[in-house]
Amino acid sequence: MLLLILLSFLLLTGCWSSKEIEDLALYAGLALDVGQPAPVEEEFEAKGATYSKKNKVMATIQIVPTKSTSGDEKKKMIAPKHYINISASGDSILEIFRQFSIRRDRPIIGHHLKVIVINSDLLKKQTIEQLMDFVLRDNDIRPSTLVFISRGKAQNTLISSQPNEIPAFHIYGMIRNRSRTSKVIQAVTLSKLDGLMYSKRSLVLQNLETAKGETEFSGVGIIKGSTGHWIGNLNQEDTEGLAWIKNEGHAGVIKTYDRDNEPITYEIKSMKSKTKVHVNDGKIAFHVSIKTEGRLIEIWNSKGHYTKDESNIKEVEELFKAKLKQTIDELMHKLQSVYKVDVAGFGEALALKDPRLWKSIKDDWDDLFSKTEVTFDYELKITEFGSFTDE
Amino acid sequence: MSAVIKYIPDWIIFIQAFIAFSVPLLLYFLYTKLYHFVGKTPSPNVNRPNEKKEPDEVNVPFTGSFEKDMEIIQELIGGNCDFRTREFTMAKLNRRAILVYVDGMQNDRLLNVKVLEYLMFEATAEDMGLPLKAAELLPFESLIEAGDIGAFNRSVLFGHTGLIIEGFPKGLLIELPDGANRAVTEPVSEALLRGPRLGFTEVLSENTSMLRRQGFTDQLVMKTYRVGTRLKKDLVIAYMKDIVNEDLLREVDSRIEKMNMDFLAESGYVEQLIEDNYLSPFQQVQNTERPDRVINEIVAGRIGILLDGTPFALIVPATFTMLLQSPEDYYERWLPSTLLRMLRFLAAFLALMAPALYISLISFHPGLIPTELAITIIETRQGVPFPSLIEVLILEVAIEILREAGIRLPKPIGPAMGIVGGLIIGDAAVQAGIVSPFLVIVVAVTAISSFSIPTYSAGFTLRLLRFVGMIFAAVLGMYGTILFFLLMCSHLTKLKSFGVPYLTPLTPYRLQDWKDIFLRVPFTLMKKRPAMFKTRNRRKST
């Protein structure tokens, strides 16, 4: 009898809080845009299907996979899209998400969220803290989710012209190309963003540009720590410079033009930099020494003055060094004079060197940084020339 | 004071605490109740008075008169259709004699040519003259005197050849039974690639001789018991005198003595009558049909139990790790053996938990599946109308049915049916949208894994517990799966086999013996016998 009662306890609970995976909708991407009702929403609202809200933000989620009718029909049909993007606007991201529940047949779950793309105009109006508050608090969404910025409409980055591709995964995968170029910065995850936001530090997020259903990483967007707003973008070459200074790059190229104005390319095999901090009576100065080795990989000049001759190599090395210096100088100009933010890790170097001093000045470090002297020295070595026929 | 009162939780918490406290107690109470209910088998002492009432064996002494004795024998067992007698006169002695035997249980040629020839023409007065010395002078290898007619009859019916000579007041049993036997073959249930191709047979004397032949020693002791209250059978326990633990030996001895069953058909009867916990899903006695395995365990300090009429020997005490060890581990070099052993642990884990993990991941924790896989699963499961538990049960039960049927299928069509059944059902179930293709992989891996366990009967345990695990997973998800695992672990920790904790050396923790659990370290490092049996002689090599 007792056993029976116990058994019924067990069985009557049924499948406690169980939700079959196929009855759920995963969203893999989230795009945040300036608030304006989505076209569907407008029509709904015109018919009176509305609730009290201010259109401050438009959230677009990418739901994967779409519901296919049956497994058997896969041969006949020309591959349908593998994702659905659905947008709604409002002034609370969670409320927008719950609004989706009255439009969709399956509840959405955030475990598999991979990328968050934020429109830069939205970041001018709202702070990053406001926008990220929900995704950081929600315990479904993983802290490893990557955050990007987009100058165009963020929801366009979640559209792809490739039929079999899920744009969110595409963007997520593009981060892997850091091994080939330093135009891709180290991905900013939610957990990293949390730390940076909390300490009110300026930060950069990879910028996404879209064209004809394709997405490209193009430079970075700067978010000023003290305000939490977007203040501007750095272009692709500046991003490379950032990688040089922060010692974060792995690979890439330096291309310049030789005396005959023909392109000549250097493939970076190693790139290292070291930032030294000098503090003299409260006056802070930085010195960055950059060291790189690589190979001369592409020469368009057919006049053939490129031999393994020592002086010749020196000359070419100087060319590349000049180009590198130019890149970095341009970046430093933008950081110190145009945007007046430190996103190149000078603050960290100072904090490690002199924590007490850092504590006293960290609140207005961005301003201080713009007046700080930063010097560079370059060491560039061509170690090989690739395989080529020696005359 | 009021500050303290503020922190006293309200009554709901107290009720929850009470329930949490009473559930284990309740379960324990139920368990002990059930244990006693199942364990209420009458002990032999209680039963003895009843036994007396049963028609006991007749103990009629030999009268000494040839005709009279024959008459009694004829009366008692002459009704059997296979009962044969051959009366003759011993030529040199000029006495009548009679051979009594059961048809088909002797070597006929030997009987006719040698025994009869000798008895009829060669046996002289000197040989047979003095009744008491007769036994010594008869040129038979096996010769037993039967004290009374009852014993004589039983032996004859068991296959001995009986001889009664006129004027000789006792029955002689001169030939051992030689019934139809199976040839010695490779063990079917425990095939190995490397190792002796020798398996036990149904004849006890052959089996003991196989053990003897493993090596020269005077320390290997074999002790015989007569077991079974109605049909008696020989049972032998084998151990190394200088190694075995005295207490263990006494325990085995007393448990075998206590067995109360009218007939023990197979060593499985013995196993179930001497095991510690009959409610446990885990077997506490190891069975094997490999002599090399038995002798290895005997040398390690365990005790082997052999029963007449079955090729399966028992080894006690058994521990959990034994179930996943194969004799081949020691025949191959230590690196491959270690790898295989770890593989087996993994396989056992999969066989036990794979469906439970599948259910808990699919139904409760979609976030724990890698995204790409999650999408594939969603796509394939879209047409499946059942919750994952039903889905898994459908396929698991189908596989179990196939397995059970596979044993009984006639040999020529067995493999074909197995493949057809497996492939067709799996594929058709996916096509019909009853199950998802991913599940077919899970179930197939589970089934294959359970076959990689060296002891077949240990596989049963895992098959049984797999379903329990599935139900736990279906009710409580990953939490339930872990709960199930913990419950199983706590049961195993409590389990004992002949006084040896089942999980030794994992717990109680004996690091020394870990050399032979997950790893199989080189022999040069295994200089001592396992500490868990507390053997008399610890060192293996000097």
Side-chain angles (χ1 to χ4, degrees), chain B residues 196-484:
Chain B
R197 299 266 183 265
L198 191 68
F200 283 129
T201 67
E202 283 77 6
V203 184
L204 184 63
S205 59
E206 266 176 40
N207 293 348
T208 51
S209 76
M210 276 180 212
L211 284 187
R212 290 277 185 210
R213 247 178 287 148
Q214 299 282 338
F216 274 116
T217 177
D218 56 354
Q219 296 296 329
L220 177 59
V221 177
M222 303 219 184
K223 218 168 132 192
T224 313
Y225 294 83
R226 267 279 154 90
V227 293
T229 49
R230 193 166 286 274
L231 270 71
K232 288 196 194 302
K233 237 182 193 187
D234 282 340
L235 178 142
V236 164
I237 66 169
Y239 55 90
M240 294 297 282
K241 199 161 61 176
D242 57 345
I243 294 174
V244 76
N245 181 294
E246 287 270 281
D247 294 327
L248 174 65
L249 189 60
R250 225 171 293 129
E251 183 65 30
V252 172
D253 183 80
S254 79
R255 287 199 197 180
I256 288 175
E257 295 283 359
K258 265 189 215 148
M259 284 196 301
N260 179 20
M261 189 65 132
D262 58 352
F263 175 56
L264 300 158
E266 214 267 349
S267 54
Y269 280 60
V270 182
E271 178 182 343
Q272 290 168 65
L273 288 171
I274 64 174
E275 69 186 354
D276 291 63
N277 187 339
Y278 26 76
L279 290 182
S280 170
F282 291 90
Q283 55 169 5
Q284 297 131 59
V285 177
Q286 166 90 324
N287 62 68
T288 177
E289 39 177 341
R290 301 191 66 89
D292 52 326
R293 191 166 197 166
V294 174
I295 200 78
N296 261 326
E297 303 295 0
I298 287 178
V299 171
R302 291 184 170 95
I303 294 177
I305 301 174
L306 296 95
L307 185 73
D308 195 20
T310 173
F312 283 92
L314 304 176
I315 301 166
V316 291
T319 53
F320 179 73
T321 53
M322 248 171 106
L323 305 180
L324 295 174
Q325 289 170 0
S326 159
E328 213 170 9
D329 291 354
Y330 303 95
Y331 305 154
E332 287 289 353
R333 298 186 58 248
W334 72 278
L335 275 173
S337 304
T338 303
L339 177 78
L340 287 180
R341 198 170 271 184
M342 290 190 177
L343 203 67
R344 260 180 247 135
F345 271 93
L346 177 73
F349 181 78
L350 281 180
L352 182 66
M353 301 295 257
L357 288 175
Y358 174 81
I359 292 173
S360 44
L361 287 180
I362 294 293
S363 301
F364 290 84
H365 313 282
L368 291 180
I369 312 172
T371 309
E372 280 81 359
L373 185 62
I375 289 173
T376 322
I377 293 174
I378 292 179
E379 275 170 351
T380 54
R381 269 184 63 85
Q382 215 115 66
V384 178
F386 305 114
S388 54
L389 173 68
I390 306 292
E391 185 196 10
V392 174
L393 275 178
I394 289 173
L395 214 55
E396 278 289 342
V397 168
I399 283 273
E400 292 298 325
I401 291 173
L402 265 180
R403 225 166 150 183
E404 185 60 19
I407 298 170
R408 261 163 277 285
L409 282 173
K411 266 219 177 94
I413 60 163
M417 278 306 286
I419 293 164
V420 167
L423 285 180
I424 306 263
I425 291 184
D427 193 45
V430 171
Q431 290 281 320
I434 300 174
V435 299
S436 74
F438 188 68
L439 175 72
V440 178
I441 302 174
V442 171
V443 171
V445 165
T446 309
I448 292 292
S449 299
S450 66
F451 280 115
S452 70
I453 291 152
T455 319
Y456 182 70
S457 43
F460 279 125
T461 311
L462 298 183
R463 279 159 74 180
L464 180 80
L465 289 177
R466 186 193 303 155
F467 286 92
V468 182
M470 275 153 55
I471 290 170
F472 267 90
V475 176
L476 293 169
M478 194 62 91
Y479 168 69
T481 312
I482 292 168
L483 194 69
F484 161 70

Side-chain angles (χ1 to χ4, degrees), chain A residues 2-3 6 10-11 13-22 24-26 28 64-69 72 82 106 109 111-112 114 142 166 169, chain B residues 23 26-27 29-30 361-364 366-372 374-375 377-379 381-384 386-389 431 471 474-477:
Chain A
L2 262 171
L3 201 73
L6 276 176
L10 191 74
L11 294 178
T13 50
C15 296
W16 209 328
S17 75
S18 102
K19 281 197 188 82
E20 302 297 320
I21 189 168
E22 73 270 18
L24 301 168
L26 319 178
V64 283
T66 54
K67 207 167 187 174
S68 60
T69 39
D72 263 340
H82 287 255
R106 296 179 291 171
I109 55 161
H111 301 284
H112 293 284
K114 293 284 180 218
R142 300 283 155 89
I166 293 161
F169 296 163
Chain B
V23 162
L26 203 70
L27 283 177
F29 172 75
L30 273 174
L361 287 180
I362 294 293
S363 301
F364 290 84
L368 291 180
I369 312 172
T371 309
E372 280 81 359
I375 289 173
I377 293 174
I378 292 179
E379 275 170 351
R381 269 184 63 85
Q382 215 115 66
V384 178
F386 305 114
S388 54
L389 173 68
Q431 290 281 320
I471 290 170
V475 176
L476 293 169

Side-chain angles (χ1 to χ4, degrees), chain A residues 102-152:
Chain A
I102 57 174
R103 281 166 66 181
R104 306 281 314 165
D105 60 340
R106 296 179 291 171
I108 55 171
I109 55 161
H111 301 284
H112 293 284
L113 183 60
K114 293 284 180 218
V115 292
I116 298 172
V117 186
I118 313 169
N119 176 254
S120 54
D121 290 332
L122 176 66
L123 270 176
K124 259 196 247 173
K125 291 181 184 156
Q126 313 293 337
T127 67
I128 186 130
E129 286 91 346
Q130 291 170 336
L131 295 172
M132 290 294 103
D133 194 58
F134 163 70
V135 286
L136 283 170
R137 279 175 199 267
D138 188 58
N139 52 13
D140 275 3
I141 294 169
R142 300 283 155 89
S144 61
T145 309
L146 304 182
V147 185
F148 298 98
I149 206 165
S150 167
R151 246 197 323 200

Side-chain angles (χ1 to χ4, degrees), chain B residues 498-520:
Chain B
F498 287 83
V500 176
Y502 201 56
L503 276 187
T504 41
L506 297 169
T507 163
Y509 183 73
R510 288 198 181 96
L511 194 62
Q512 238 185 46
D513 291 354
W514 278 52
K515 285 183 286 194
D516 199 16
I517 312 175
F518 304 110
L519 305 175
R520 205 282 279 163

Side-chain angles (χ1 to χ4, degrees), chain A residues 181-185 235-246 249 251-254 268 271 323-324 327-328 331:
Chain A
T181 173
S182 43
K183 288 180 180 174
V184 181
I185 59 162
N235 66 20
Q236 297 186 12
E237 276 168 21
D238 296 333
T239 311
E240 278 183 312
L242 213 54
W244 281 107
I245 296 174
K246 286 169 96 174
V253 295
I254 304 176
I268 301 161
M271 48 198 292
K323 169 71 180 168
L324 182 58
T327 310
I328 296 208
L331 170 70

